[in-house]
Amino acid sequence: MPQHVAIIMDGNGRWAKQQGKLRIFGHQNGVKAVRSAVNFAAKHGIKVLTLYAFSSENWSRPEAEVSALMTLFMKALDSEVKKLHKNNIRLKIIGDKSAFSDSLQNRIAQSEALTANNTGLILNIAANYGGYWDITQATKQIALQVKNGELSVDEITPDYVQRHLVTEDQPQVDLLIRTSGEQRISNFLLWQIAYAELVFSPVLWPDFDEKAFTDAVIAYQQRDRRFGGC
């Protein structure tokens, strides 16, 4: 099994359109697929599951949709965190949280604190996240350490940079899945997916169930991973 699986959860809007509903209906039903993916990862011994919930570019969507997404995010934290804690799952929200409302930031902090000592699956929810931002914020931290004389340039290694990314000491991504048939990375975990296997599933996210996840893992297991070697 892959240690770290990352998923770009795509297709909520198209799924809703197929049902003759508004886009938010697709987002609401996408929460069910999140539960299914988390259960699958926990059951099959995957160590880290990272879900792309809201990119730093998603703020450009219609204001009503963004507002509805923020409300859905808050409700999901309220309804799901106790279940995660009960199942020994550690929740981490990765991304620039400073853009969220104070109430949402507080709820995030409470949720992370509740599950901080759990030792099972690590569930990363990427919210207001972008790969460019992640690498930039790590670079700024390291540059400040050099400026303050705490670090020499020769001490900057890929491992050191990794520890300053939001995924810190988590394993690099083994398997990246994007649903809905789109074949793009969309500024997601650019550093962490350097040697990931990519699987593009035709399934729209609200329909991404245990079978679809299993199919993606089987595709991963059939790959010959050489990490740049022969």
Side-chain angles (χ1 to χ4, degrees):
M1 294 297 291
Q3 289 190 77
H4 187 167
V5 177
I7 305 179
I8 301 174
M9 306 181 293
D10 195 15
N12 288 342
R14 274 165 284 172
W15 187 88
K17 187 176 181 180
Q18 290 176 0
Q19 316 297 317
K21 304 284 188 179
L22 296 174
R23 289 176 62 88
I24 190 59
F25 182 73
H27 296 311
Q28 290 167 342
N29 280 271
V31 174
K32 299 176 184 177
V34 170
R35 292 192 195 106
S36 174
V38 171
N39 289 338
F40 180 94
K43 181 169 67 174
H44 291 282
I46 293 169
K47 293 182 178 179
V48 184
L49 177 65
T50 302
L51 303 178
Y52 205 9
F54 189 85
S55 78
S56 50
E57 290 76 32
N58 285 160
W59 295 106
S60 63
R61 292 186 177 187
E63 184 177 346
E65 182 179 356
V66 172
S67 177
L69 282 169
M70 293 300 106
T71 300
L72 183 61
F73 190 12
M74 184 82 82
K75 288 182 177 178
L77 287 174
D78 286 341
S79 64
E80 304 299 324
V81 171
K82 289 182 180 179
K83 298 175 190 174
L84 296 176
H85 184 49
K86 182 179 178 181
N87 288 286
N88 196 32
I89 295 170
R90 182 182 178 188
L91 176 67
K92 293 192 68 177
I93 308 300
I94 59 172
D96 183 4
K97 291 172 276 194
S98 66
F100 297 138
S101 67
D102 289 345
S103 58
L104 181 51
Q105 289 186 55
N106 289 336
R107 196 66 53 85
I108 288 171
Q110 292 167 6
S111 300
E112 290 181 325
L114 177 64
T115 64
N117 295 320
N118 291 344
T119 57
L121 172 72
I122 296 173
L123 174 61
N124 295 320
I125 302 294
N128 195 27
Y129 176 89
Y132 289 161
W133 167 84
D134 194 3
I135 295 170
T136 300
Q137 64 85 28
T139 303
K140 287 180 177 179
Q141 291 183 55
I142 294 169
L144 188 60
Q145 292 171 13
V146 173
K147 179 182 178 181
N148 292 338
E150 301 166 0
L151 182 73
S152 72
V153 172
D154 291 338
E155 292 177 290
I156 302 172
T157 64
D159 285 343
Y160 194 79
V161 174
Q162 165 67 32
R163 293 199 298 272
H164 288 79
L165 299 172
V166 290
T167 49
E168 300 176 310
D169 58 354
Q170 296 175 12
Q172 297 288 66
V173 176
D174 296 306
L175 169 61
L176 172 67
I177 303 167
R178 182 171 187 143
T179 61
S180 87
E182 298 291 348
Q183 299 185 17
R184 295 187 297 275
I185 302 304
S186 297
N187 195 22
F188 184 43
L189 299 176
L190 298 179
W191 178 286
Q192 296 90 336
I193 64 169
Y195 285 103
E197 296 298 322
L198 311 183
V199 173
F200 299 103
S201 170
V203 178
L204 300 177
W205 177 248
D207 292 328
F208 192 82
D209 55 12
E210 184 169 331
K211 180 185 181 303
F213 206 151
T214 300
D215 289 344
V217 170
I218 290 173
Y220 161 84
Q221 292 172 334
Q222 293 173 341
R223 305 279 177 88
D224 180 15
R225 304 189 74 202
R226 297 189 297 273
F227 299 94
C230 296

